[in-house]
Amino acid sequence: MKPIKIGIAGTGVVASGVVNILKRNADEITRRAGRDIEVIVVSSRTRAKAEALVGNDVQIVNDIMEVARHPDVDIVVETMGGYEPAKSFVLEAIAHGKHVVTANKALLAEHGNEIFKAAQDKGVTVAFEAAVAGGIPVIKALREGLSANRIEWIAGIINGTTNFILTQMREKGWTFADALKVAQELGYAEADPTFDVEGVDAAHKITLMSALAFGVPIDFKAASIEGISKLAAADIAYAEKFGYRIKLLGITKRVSNGTTDGIELRVHPTLIPESRLIANVNGVMNAVLVKGDAVGATLYYGAGAGSEPTGSSVIADLIDVTRTITADPEHRVPHLAFQPDSLASIPMLPLSAVKTRYYLRLTAQDRTGVLADITRILANHDISVDAMLQTEVDDATKEAHIVIMTHVSQESNVDTAVSEIKALASITGGVVKLRVEELG
Amino acid sequence: MKPIKIGIAGTGVVASGVVNILKRNADEITRRAGRDIEVIVVSSRTRAKAEALVGNDVQIVNDIMEVARHPDVDIVVETMGGYEPAKSFVLEAIAHGKHVVTANKALLAEHGNEIFKAAQDKGVTVAFEAAVAGGIPVIKALREGLSANRIEWIAGIINGTTNFILTQMREKGWTFADALKVAQELGYAEADPTFDVEGVDAAHKITLMSALAFGVPIDFKAASIEGISKLAAADIAYAEKFGYRIKLLGITKRVSNGTTDGIELRVHPTLIPESRLIANVNGVMNAVLVKGDAVGATLYYGAGAGSEPTGSSVIADLIDVTRTITADPEHRVPHLAFQPDSLASIPMLPLSAVKTRYYLRLTAQDRTGVLADITRILANHDISVDAMLQTEVDDATKEAHIVIMTHVSQESNVDTAVSEIKALASITGGVVKLRVEELG
């Protein structure tokens, strides 16, 4: 069979991974795909950069749209990232009947519904394994491997930068700022780390997995997002005393009972029992835990970023598309796991509706009756205490920390209680609230 | 679209899982598959059992071959296990143009080449996600998700019975016999546990993964198999002192250097550093660690057996086949990851060629010079010692244990050294040899 012809937009880290792996493993890839997969055109604003990557046998163009419209290209690979010109490029390629492979989670989380609709109408595939958890084939697991299941929830460490920072904070007792600095020096965090540390990147990824798991449209705006930049080393240490690790998790959960039917979609630092496998995923590694009603809990672990891990997923998508390229569009694996005409309309739940366990840390003056005040407020709001710890009073500040682990409570009740606790005269240093997930 | 029609051979644990999940999750499964998946015929020698499972609306037949030949059936599910009549059933179904889904690792490890050839010739699919690691979609990961990679090695905890026994031995200090008895009482081990505890079941599974990873024919006879029935609680405890856990691993490795090119295929109790995620996979759970050249190490964890986890994988295969049922056979995902006309011929290496680290435990009389004798023998055979531990002499037996962790050595050298050590007059209680894998 004749080779499948690829056009790549971009010459950055992901593109390098794709090109290098395609070259190095050409033989095995052809033996798997059934035909050669050949890069025939690359776009770059810097010709020298493109030449360094692909040599002289591959056409190099200035304008990405030449890739999107190239008459010989079967599949385009979008490696630019960001919203524009990535979106225009992808839509133009679709309009020209090209299949698309992309690693762009931001683009798909914000504009995926429009993009997948365009692909559906045109009868082409938009594949995005590399957009979530880098080299880990978790999109495939959700879309195909677990397709028998009613998915109950997903909880994932899906941002390597923040996992590296949290690991350093725990192992070395560093502050967030110290750990971030080291992450930047090592190239694990960008100069402007906002997207990573504030949880936006993780929210893009869990939004995509939420749609795949529950058969609903992609709804990034419904995500509640809290990053790790305000996390104190003290809370990591207290969590450890209770047997928990703190990880930035992307969580999506189907809540379905007598009173509520909806989907939770949230990213925040989370206490996890240290005995869970996912609590022991450290450094820049990623892991996604998926709970299905038939299979139970399954976990997928690996490198969540980097040139070759991301390239690995891009090429897996290229091989998937290649293997089944003659299939009629009605008989392809649907983009979002569910057939596009059978997406469900399930309400996205606000954070106030979440029911889980909570970790609270109060900084209080050492006065008689402070514990009585706090426990009375918690009881008033239907929050029962599972465990409590009070530190010795600091000689200088005359303050002590009170750490409370609650039983399952409702977020809105906890928020009201926290407001009332903050208003107590003895609470001088504010209240830290973190969520706890057992992931059992 | 009209429903896809299923025939099931068998009414046991796996069949129940399949039928129950198809019923419970019918709506989501249809939304994913694009059409209904409907069981229309079941074979059983006990009509009452079949009726209890599928009710009265499904045809029940005595003879499995009626399922294989049923004119309305699109896909048959083989849930009987064992070699016959499973093999005849599968071949008959293929001959009648049916797609086949099976959980039968023994059948595929022994007769897979013949079965996949028949399927290929007839243009049908034989899917077997459930045959390896139960509900974990690891076949899909190897065949599709990691298809960009040159796979370097796979190491898997792929037998829940033995993992449960080893976990109990470690946590409770039990002997193998005690732990086996409890496993049998809890239904985790069969009355005749040979296939599980002697490593045969794990060998079937790693043999299949080896073929998928390296693009070679299935070669069960090449597997070196050692179970856990002779494992002593003492060795689990000593391993722990060195920071290792003992797991029964299925291992397959591509060895490719100046002097050797071949594939290792082996099952044996293995010391793993306790810091590795897979060392912390306990109880009946399974996990498979796959190292690819591009992606690095990835891990897949979940339930390796049981009615619904296995059913989850069977149905994932049914949905896969359904989604792409109109594809021309040239454009389906190949059964064994590589196109059938491009399998490689790579020699399978004997155990004697393995190079890894070793754990040796010697029981020796407390005599002057014994350590000198041992270390001289090891040095003579090019085996260098990484760590050593000697216990206090037992007052009753006058014997002590000497535990040695070697650097990387060749198995044949270690075997020769062990023979010579055993022949020393001071070695009164034999020598225990176990393999160590760093899995880094």
Side-chain angles (χ1 to χ4, degrees):
Chain A
M1 276 186 278
K2 64 186 172 61
I4 287 291
K5 293 180 174 155
I6 310 296
I8 303 181
T11 52
V13 173
V14 176
S16 306
V18 172
V19 169
N20 291 335
I21 300 168
L22 280 176
K23 216 178 287 176
R24 187 175 71 232
N25 293 347
D27 173 59
E28 295 211 16
I29 288 169
T30 299
R31 289 170 57 213
R32 290 188 176 110
R35 53 170 88 181
D36 292 345
I37 295 178
E38 200 180 287
V39 178
I40 63 159
V41 58
V42 166
S43 75
S44 175
R45 273 167 300 184
T46 348
R47 195 178 175 85
K49 202 173 167 193
E51 270 178 10
L53 182 61
V54 295
N56 296 311
D57 301 340
V58 172
Q59 188 186 349
I60 296 169
V61 296
N62 237 301
D63 179 4
I64 52 169
M65 291 307 179
E66 285 189 57
V67 175
R69 298 171 195 137
H70 198 292
D72 298 332
V73 161
D74 300 301
I75 314 174
V76 302
V77 178
E78 184 278 303
T79 69
M80 299 174 287
Y83 303 110
E84 280 297 351
K87 185 183 173 193
S88 303
F89 169 78
V90 166
L91 289 174
E92 185 75 4
I94 291 169
H96 284 77
K98 315 299 182 194
H99 301 282
V100 176
V101 176
T102 177
N104 193 330
K105 49 260 178 188
L107 176 65
L108 294 179
E110 292 272 15
H111 304 289
N113 295 321
E114 179 186 349
I115 289 168
F116 291 123
K117 171 77 167 58
Q120 185 67 23
D121 291 346
K122 193 73 186 179
V124 297
T125 296
V126 174
F128 58 102
E129 183 63 79
V132 178
I136 310 171
V138 68
I139 294 297
K140 185 170 277 287
L142 286 170
R143 197 181 51 202
E144 302 163 39
L146 303 178
S147 56
N149 291 265
R150 185 180 165 95
I151 304 292
E152 297 176 358
W153 50 260
I154 301 173
I157 297 174
I158 44 182
N159 180 275
T161 305
T162 45
N163 202 39
F164 177 82
I165 290 172
L166 292 175
T167 302
Q168 298 301 311
M169 287 176 74
R170 185 180 79 81
E171 289 180 355
K172 299 181 177 148
W174 288 351
T175 62
F176 168 79
D178 290 341
L180 172 62
K181 198 163 155 252
V182 171
Q184 285 171 323
E185 283 164 10
L186 292 170
Y188 294 147
E190 302 191 37
D192 176 358
T194 313
F195 253 48
D196 291 317
V197 303
E198 297 305 348
V200 180
D201 174 73
H204 286 146
K205 295 167 180 165
I206 193 69
T207 297
L208 291 173
M209 290 199 282
S210 182
L212 281 160
F214 304 121
V216 294
I218 300 164
D219 190 0
F220 176 64
K221 287 190 177 52
S224 304
I225 312 173
E226 191 181 314
I228 63 166
S229 61
K230 294 194 185 72
L231 194 68
D235 294 309
I236 294 177
Y238 288 132
E240 196 134 2
K241 280 197 212 289
F242 286 108
Y244 291 80
R245 301 268 167 87
I246 298 182
K247 296 289 181 187
L248 183 71
L249 291 188
I251 297 172
T252 188
K253 199 180 277 190
R254 177 80 189 263
V255 181
S256 185
N257 53 45
T259 51
T260 317
D261 185 27
I263 294 170
E264 295 177 4
L265 180 58
R266 47 194 168 101
V267 171
H268 51 71
T270 313
L271 281 77
I272 316 169
E274 65 189 5
S275 61
R276 302 274 178 255
L277 224 47
I278 196 171
N280 296 284
V281 170
N282 291 320
V284 294
M285 301 306 281
N286 280 203
V288 181
L289 190 55
V290 183
K291 177 82 187 302
D293 69 337
V295 74
T298 57
L299 179 114
Y300 308 85
Y301 162 91
S307 176
E308 293 224 345
T310 310
S312 171
S313 283
V314 168
I315 295 171
D317 281 343
L318 291 176
I319 295 174
D320 268 4
V321 173
T322 299
R323 279 169 165 167
T324 59
I325 201 154
T326 61
D328 66 294
E330 294 283 292
H331 284 90
R332 292 214 188 96
V333 177
H335 291 121
L336 293 174
F338 290 75
Q339 301 292 332
D341 58 359
S342 53
L343 295 194
S345 165
I346 308 171
M348 303 301 286
L349 297 172
L351 199 56
S352 57
V354 166
K355 284 182 184 163
T356 189
R357 297 180 60 209
Y358 291 83
Y359 163 102
L360 303 175
R361 174 168 62 87
L362 293 54
T363 304
Q365 288 286 320
D366 182 30
R367 291 188 198 159
T368 313
V370 55
L371 273 180
D373 288 343
I374 293 163
T375 49
R376 178 185 45 79
I377 292 172
L378 293 174
N380 283 349
H381 295 286
D382 210 20
I383 300 160
S384 71
V385 173
D386 179 48
M388 187 183 294
L389 171 101
Q390 184 178 330
T391 62
E392 288 184 10
V393 176
D394 184 283
D395 283 343
T397 62
K398 306 291 178 205
E399 288 175 336
H401 284 163
I402 299 167
V403 183
I404 295 168
M405 300 283 286
T406 76
H407 284 293
V408 172
S409 312
Q410 181 157 339
E411 177 104 6
S412 54
N413 290 344
V414 174
D415 284 342
T416 312
V418 165
S419 302
E420 292 179 17
I421 289 170
K422 275 184 182 166
L424 293 171
S426 50
I427 302 299
T428 44
V431 177
V432 171
K433 179 190 81 178
L434 296 168
R435 295 171 197 87
V436 183
E437 295 283 346
E438 295 298 321
L439 306 180
Chain B
M1 277 188 276
K2 63 184 174 58
I4 287 292
K5 293 181 174 156
I6 309 296
I8 303 181
T11 51
V13 173
V14 176
S16 305
V18 173
V19 169
N20 291 335
I21 300 168
L22 280 177
K23 218 177 289 177
R24 188 177 68 232
N25 293 346
D27 172 59
E28 296 211 17
I29 288 170
T30 299
R31 289 170 57 209
R32 289 189 177 110
R35 53 171 89 182
D36 292 346
I37 295 179
E38 198 180 287
V39 178
I40 64 159
V41 58
V42 166
S43 76
S44 175
R45 275 168 299 185
T46 349
R47 194 175 177 84
K49 203 173 165 194
E51 270 177 11
L53 182 60
V54 294
N56 296 311
D57 300 339
V58 172
Q59 188 185 351
I60 296 169
V61 297
N62 235 301
D63 180 4
I64 52 169
M65 291 308 179
E66 284 189 58
V67 175
R69 297 173 195 136
H70 197 293
D72 298 332
V73 161
D74 301 301
I75 314 173
V76 302
V77 178
E78 185 278 302
T79 69
M80 298 173 288
Y83 303 111
E84 281 295 350
K87 185 183 172 195
S88 303
F89 169 79
V90 166
L91 290 173
E92 186 74 3
I94 291 169
H96 283 76
K98 315 297 184 197
H99 301 283
V100 176
V101 176
T102 177
N104 193 330
K105 48 260 180 187
L107 175 65
L108 294 179
E110 291 272 14
H111 304 289
N113 296 321
E114 180 187 349
I115 289 167
F116 291 122
K117 172 76 166 62
Q120 187 66 23
D121 291 346
K122 193 73 188 180
V124 298
T125 295
V126 174
F128 58 103
E129 183 63 79
V132 177
I136 310 170
V138 67
I139 295 297
K140 184 170 279 284
L142 286 169
R143 198 181 50 201
E144 303 162 38
L146 303 178
S147 56
N149 291 266
R150 184 181 167 95
I151 304 291
E152 298 176 356
W153 49 260
I154 300 173
I157 298 175
I158 45 182
N159 180 274
T161 306
T162 45
N163 203 39
F164 177 82
I165 291 171
L166 292 175
T167 302
Q168 299 300 310
M169 288 176 74
R170 184 180 80 83
E171 288 179 356
K172 299 182 176 146
W174 288 349
T175 64
F176 169 78
D178 289 342
L180 173 61
K181 200 162 153 255
V182 171
Q184 286 171 321
E185 284 164 8
L186 293 170
Y188 294 147
E190 302 191 38
D192 177 357
T194 313
F195 252 48
D196 290 317
V197 302
E198 296 306 348
V200 180
D201 174 72
H204 286 146
K205 294 167 181 166
I206 193 70
T207 298
L208 293 173
M209 289 198 283
S210 182
L212 282 162
F214 304 122
V216 295
I218 299 165
D219 190 359
F220 177 64
K221 287 190 178 51
S224 304
I225 312 173
E226 192 181 313
I228 62 165
S229 61
K230 295 195 184 73
L231 193 69
D235 294 309
I236 294 176
Y238 288 132
E240 196 134 1
K241 280 194 212 288
F242 286 107
Y244 291 80
R245 301 270 166 86
I246 298 183
K247 295 289 180 187
L248 183 72
L249 291 188
I251 297 172
T252 188
K253 199 180 278 190
R254 177 80 190 266
V255 181
S256 185
N257 53 46
T259 52
T260 317
D261 185 28
I263 293 170
E264 296 178 4
L265 181 58
R266 47 196 168 100
V267 171
H268 50 72
T270 314
L271 281 76
I272 316 169
E274 65 189 4
S275 61
R276 301 275 179 257
L277 224 47
I278 195 171
N280 296 285
V281 170
N282 292 319
V284 295
M285 300 308 280
N286 279 204
V288 180
L289 190 56
V290 183
K291 177 82 187 301
D293 70 336
V295 74
T298 57
L299 180 114
Y300 309 84
Y301 162 93
S307 177
E308 293 223 346
T310 310
S312 170
S313 282
V314 167
I315 294 171
D317 281 345
L318 291 176
I319 294 173
D320 268 3
V321 173
T322 299
R323 279 168 165 168
T324 59
I325 201 153
T326 59
D328 65 295
E330 294 283 292
H331 284 91
R332 293 215 188 95
V333 177
H335 290 120
L336 293 174
F338 290 75
Q339 300 292 333
D341 58 359
S342 53
L343 295 194
S345 165
I346 308 172
M348 303 301 286
L349 298 172
L351 200 54
S352 57
V354 166
K355 284 183 184 161
T356 189
R357 298 181 60 210
Y358 291 83
Y359 162 103
L360 302 174
R361 174 168 61 88
L362 294 56
T363 305
Q365 288 285 321
D366 182 30
R367 291 188 197 159
T368 314
V370 56
L371 273 179
D373 288 343
I374 293 163
T375 49
R376 178 186 44 78
I377 293 172
L378 293 174
N380 284 349
H381 296 288
D382 210 18
I383 299 159
S384 71
V385 173
D386 179 48
M388 186 182 295
L389 170 101
Q390 184 177 333
T391 63
E392 288 187 6
V393 176
D394 183 284
D395 283 344
T397 61
K398 307 289 177 208
E399 288 174 337
H401 284 163
I402 300 166
V403 183
I404 295 167
M405 300 284 287
T406 77
H407 284 293
V408 171
S409 312
Q410 182 157 337
E411 177 103 6
S412 55
N413 291 346
V414 174
D415 284 343
T416 313
V418 166
S419 303
E420 293 179 17
I421 290 170
K422 275 185 183 166
L424 294 172
S426 51
I427 301 299
T428 44
V431 177
V432 171
K433 178 191 81 180
L434 295 169
R435 296 171 197 89
V436 183
E437 295 283 346
E438 295 298 321
L439 306 180

